[in-house]
Amino acid sequence: MKTIREITDLKNKKVLLRVDFDVPVRSLGEGGRVAEITEPFRIKKQKAMIDWLVERGAKVVMVAHLHEDNSSFSNLIPQLHILLGREVGFIKKIEDIDGYLANYPGVGLLDNIRNPTVAGLGEKENSRELAEKLSKGFDIYINNDFAVCHRDHASVSAITEFLPSFAGLLVQEETVQLRKAIDAPKSGKIVIIGGAKAETKVPIVKNFISKAELILLGGVVANDVLKERGQDMGSSIVDENSKELLAGLDINDPKLLVPEDFVVFDNKILDIGEKTIKKYVDVISGASVVIWNGPMGLFENPTFATGTQKIAEAIAESSAYKIIGGGDTIVAISKFRNIDISKFNFVSTGGGAMLIFLAGQRLPGLEALGYYQN
Ligand code: ADP
Ligand code: MG
């Protein structure tokens, strides 16, 4: 994979930079015209790449997506200024990029590339026409949005056919760190998987069952395994198709730890219980590498957040090499005021892309950058 570090001269180079500004936003009124970014982690992680390019004299136009296809970055520009520590010029439509580059007042951001009023249709269809149009006027393309790399989209994949293309600092870091997680020696390597979307989590369990010493389960993923082991799950959330989901995995493998007690409300398992917390914390304290994705319970309700919080604390305090990620996992950590996120060696911005990478599957966005040798 070619990375941006290989380019020595960026002075006055016009750079199309794919960034990740897909953050949760809360409307503060006026029909959504006043909005607040509630979790800025992903935006902050873009700052280093932007600064790096500006310091080297590049002219940068950023391209990104936001939520639904009709969303716009227009209301978020003032918050972007603050989070990135610099002014960000707002480019309404793809046709305006030429003029923007000609005047170049500083780093710019094209509005939501998935919004048809900004770039027409074609982003999600990986349209070569859109990619070609987008490439016009630029010298190079940099992908610094790891979280979108599981999408075969025009500003991620097709664009690489029209410009010399490079992995940005963050995409490089994510691939190095997550590769490290997969390749670290099996002995002492612990993987903790929780959360709700079992269809995205079970493939990771399957990939790591032969690569980790132990896999600790929580959340709905654990429910599915317990159900298949014949346990009565009451009204707990379980996947209808848990049998198919778990096919190919030995659910009685001794390397797979499942909760032994629970916090139950309304006949639903909503958190792991005290005995399980103690057991998991014990395992974590002896680990040399910990990989964690997915809350242990319904952490949004403080009554059911204890399992997730205790596990997070144990990981943060352990001397292991700690890699964590997942949209809700990061939200959970930032809720627990006593946990300092900098205690984790690496926090992935990846979300779905991270899950697919950890499951050992290929990501089209990385493929387009030449990450896979064959
Ligand atoms: P991530 O975004 O970190 O990958 P997921 O999206 O897979 O995690 O899952 C997070 C969600 O899982 C949270 O909203 C949490 O409330 C929910 N969850 C975890 N355990 C349970 C449970 N036992 N019952 C219901 N929901 C749960
Ligand atoms: Mg999630």
Side-chain angles (χ1 to χ4, degrees), residues 54-179:
V54 171
E55 277 162 24
R56 285 161 179 76
K59 296 181 174 170
V60 182
V61 168
M62 303 183 288
V63 54
H65 69 276
L66 182 71
H67 314 161
E68 302 307 319
D69 297 355
N70 61 359
S71 300
S72 169
F73 284 113
S74 57
N75 307 319
L76 304 181
I77 297 293
Q79 289 161 79
L80 282 174
H81 286 183
I82 296 167
L83 291 165
L84 297 174
R86 72 172 69 249
E87 298 262 323
V88 175
F90 183 59
I91 306 168
K92 273 191 179 161
K93 303 196 298 295
I94 198 166
E95 290 79 13
D96 299 340
I97 293 178
D98 261 351
Y100 191 88
L101 283 173
N103 292 319
Y104 195 69
V107 175
L109 171 66
L110 176 67
D111 202 0
N112 181 12
I113 182 75
R114 291 185 187 171
N115 187 328
T117 67
V118 174
L121 292 171
E123 167 65 0
K124 286 182 172 173
E125 290 72 25
N126 198 26
S127 153
R128 295 185 77 247
E129 271 153 63
L130 172 57
E132 188 171 16
K133 200 168 162 190
L134 189 60
S135 72
K136 285 274 156 8
F138 290 102
D139 300 309
I140 64 166
Y141 165 76
I142 302 173
N143 183 351
N144 204 43
D145 183 352
F146 180 71
V148 82
C149 282
H150 59 317
R151 307 282 184 209
D152 216 359
H153 288 180
S155 69
V156 181
S157 286
I159 188 73
T160 61
E161 294 177 37
F162 300 97
L163 287 170
S165 301
F166 303 86
L169 301 175
L170 184 62
V171 165
Q172 186 189 20
E173 190 189 9
E174 290 270 3
T175 54
V176 167
Q177 291 283 351
L178 298 179
R179 196 67 242 169

Side-chain angles (χ1 to χ4, degrees), residues 194-198 200-201 218-220 223 236-237 269-271 293-300 325-330 351 354-355:
K197 285 182 253 156
T200 64
K201 313 292 174 116
V220 178
N223 289 358
S236 305
I237 299 183
I269 292 176
L270 294 177
D271 197 6
N293 163 258
M296 295 290 104
L298 190 87
F299 75 93
E300 291 90 344
D328 294 284
T329 306
I330 293 166
M354 175 194 74
L355 300 177

